[in-house]
Amino acid sequence: MSASKIDRVEARTIRVPLDKPTSFSTRQVHHRDYGIVRVTTSDGIQGIGFCYGGSDAGSLVSHAVRELFAPLVLGEDATRVEGLWDRMYSAGVLQGRAGAAMRALSILDIALWDRNARAAQMPLHRFLGGYHDTTVPAYASGGYYLDGKTPDKLGEELAGYVAQGFKAVKMKVGRLGLAEEEARIRAAREAIGPDVELMLDANNAWRDLPTALRFMERYAPYNPYWIEEPFPVDDIDNHARLAQRTPIPVATGEIETGRWRFKELLDKEAAAILQTDAAVCGGISEYRRIGATAASYGVNLCPHWFHDLHIHLVGSAPNGQLVEYFPDDQVLNFRRLVDTQLEVRDGELVLPTTPGLGFAFDEAALDAYALDPWS
Ligand SMILES: [Mg+2]
């Protein structure tokens, strides 16, 4: 019997409340649901996977793991990752080539890569080929809308990240009117100084090009590094039109899935930076295909969210540019569910040296927040 035979696949839904209701351009979040998975092979080695399941109905992901994909991989060899990916993808096309079903496929694929790296006794970034040596460039992600958060308080928050050594920071935009938005970005730029890169995340704020251009005219004098997700995810053409009309690079892709959609973004020049999320797009396997395609277009990846997953992917590819790092557990409250936090050194993230992802779930924390048992 093969040591790498998959004996057990278990999923769970975890709901972690936010300490304060937190707002984006078009939505407010009170808690976050995570779909998590654990794969055990016959040698006793485990791999884990996890994704954001949305601010409600995260159990759709764990349901898809249990009902749709687990039966396809049980009894199979965990090292045959491409073969299992293909089998899961083919089986899932009716239930959804994007969204919860694709996230379920993604987290199983992540768990297989994690398990195999642990079996090889290698950190995942080295198992994937290794590019960076000890640290990986990152930016500090924050600047959310909270009740009572003035432009000055926003500036203080971002300046705090710069004081920790970060050379790039991100803030949310697109929720308020022109004058209020300009006051926020002005305060941010004044607080961080001229030499720190400032990213803007609109979270699908605008529906039409003229509105987006009006905001971009106000933002441009503050020299933003990119404008992120200006339009609804599926409106690729408007991303391309905006990219033609503003000198500010357009970044997108955090909710996008599959190599073919990313190729469309690249072909239409709708994104100068891809924000592919391995827990969304089809796992580490699909992320690497997308990354290789982007490399042939001369485009870099700055993956969205989950810094402790994406450090391994940015750390193992020449066109991995920046990890999105969340400095506390207020926004990425997944941080409360794991037993090890990444180390920050001079504004860069230190690559893990322990096998696999380099951390495990904190079982007590899972029990405290879980909506269902492991099954
Ligand atoms: Mg974003």
Side-chain angles (χ1 to χ4, degrees):
M1 184 179 71
S2 159
S4 49
K5 183 171 81 69
I6 299 172
D7 273 353
R8 216 160 58 234
V9 174
E10 300 158 289
R12 215 169 178 188
T13 316
I14 314 292
R15 173 167 293 174
V16 187
L18 290 169
D19 292 342
K20 297 174 196 151
T22 301
S23 298
F24 310 67
S25 57
T26 57
R27 52 190 183 266
Q28 190 176 57
V29 175
H30 296 265
H31 54 256
R32 293 188 181 280
D33 287 1
Y34 298 98
I36 66 170
V37 73
R38 178 166 80 184
V39 172
T40 310
T41 43
S42 48
D43 52 8
I45 297 176
Q46 293 188 324
I48 59 170
F50 43 87
C51 67
Y52 182 42
S55 52
D56 272 308
S59 61
L60 286 170
V61 174
S62 20
H63 198 64
V65 169
R66 294 176 189 128
E67 297 274 317
L68 192 54
F69 297 128
L72 301 176
V73 302
L74 277 168
E76 298 294 327
D77 190 320
T79 60
R80 202 166 62 83
V81 180
E82 291 279 353
L84 298 185
W85 193 98
D86 211 53
R87 180 184 288 185
M88 291 193 287
Y89 177 76
S90 299
V93 289
L94 293 186
Q95 282 83 358
R97 307 197 304 281
M102 197 54 147
R103 288 176 193 229
L105 185 161
S106 299
I107 65 179
L108 276 165
D109 180 83
I110 292 165
L112 293 179
W113 280 102
D114 178 41
R115 181 268 163 206
N116 294 337
R118 289 181 202 258
Q121 288 287 306
M122 293 171 78
L124 182 56
H125 59 94
R126 288 295 162 89
F127 188 70
L128 293 168
Y131 180 73
H132 285 289
D133 186 11
T134 53
T135 62
V136 171
Y139 70 91
S141 198
Y144 284 73
Y145 297 92
L146 298 171
D147 287 344
K149 187 165 169 181
T150 61
D152 283 348
K153 284 184 179 163
L154 168 68
E156 281 169 30
E157 177 198 340
L158 300 181
Y161 304 144
V162 176
Q164 291 170 43
F166 289 100
K167 297 164 189 72
V169 299
K170 190 164 88 182
M171 60 181 276
K172 297 296 182 185
V173 298
R175 187 172 180 84
L176 308 173
L178 285 167
E180 291 165 293
E181 286 290 338
E182 185 175 351
R184 291 176 71 251
I185 188 172
R186 186 192 309 116
R189 176 52 81 195
E190 285 173 359
I192 65 175
D195 299 327
V196 172
E197 302 293 3
L198 178 61
M199 289 82 154
L200 307 180
D201 187 357
N203 289 106
N204 327 111
W206 304 309
R207 294 301 173 102
D208 61 284
L209 187 61
T211 304
L213 286 171
R214 291 266 283 160
F215 279 95
M216 292 311 297
E217 275 170 24
R218 293 286 189 117
Y219 294 148
Y222 304 96
N223 195 25
Y225 187 68
W226 75 49
I227 179 70
E228 173 173 336
E229 283 200 309
F231 300 105
V233 185
D234 289 318
D235 192 355
I236 292 177
D237 288 351
N238 254 336
H239 284 83
R241 290 185 197 106
L242 181 64
Q244 285 168 8
R245 287 166 175 80
T246 170
I248 315 304
V250 172
T252 192
E254 67 176 69
I255 314 177
E256 202 52 89
T257 62
R259 71 201 79 152
W260 301 277
R261 286 279 285 185
F262 281 95
K263 183 173 183 299
E264 187 181 350
L265 283 170
L266 293 165
D267 281 339
K268 290 184 170 172
E269 298 183 27
I273 292 136
L274 293 184
Q275 298 178 295
T276 316
D277 183 333
V280 174
C281 74
I284 291 171
S285 299
E286 192 71 356
Y287 178 100
R288 298 182 88 207
R289 297 178 192 116
I290 292 161
T293 302
S296 64
Y297 285 76
V299 167
N300 287 345
L301 272 66
C302 296
H304 160 256
W305 194 243
F306 287 131
H307 49 231
D308 25 29
L309 165 64
H310 290 119
I311 186 174
H312 294 279
L313 298 178
V314 174
S316 59
N319 66 330
Q321 185 179 346
L322 290 166
V323 177
E324 179 173 25
Y325 179 72
F326 292 85
D328 59 40
D329 67 358
Q330 294 299 296
V331 174
L332 182 59
N333 59 14
F334 178 80
R335 289 182 66 142
R336 297 179 197 171
L337 305 180
V338 299
D339 66 357
T340 308
Q341 302 296 329
L342 291 178
E343 183 191 338
V344 180
R345 189 185 297 159
D346 301 327
E348 298 212 334
L349 305 179
V350 179
L351 281 161
T353 54
T354 50
L357 285 162
F359 62 88
F361 291 130
D362 176 336
E363 291 292 334
L366 297 188
D367 289 343
Y369 293 115
L371 299 184
D372 53 14
W374 280 117
S375 71

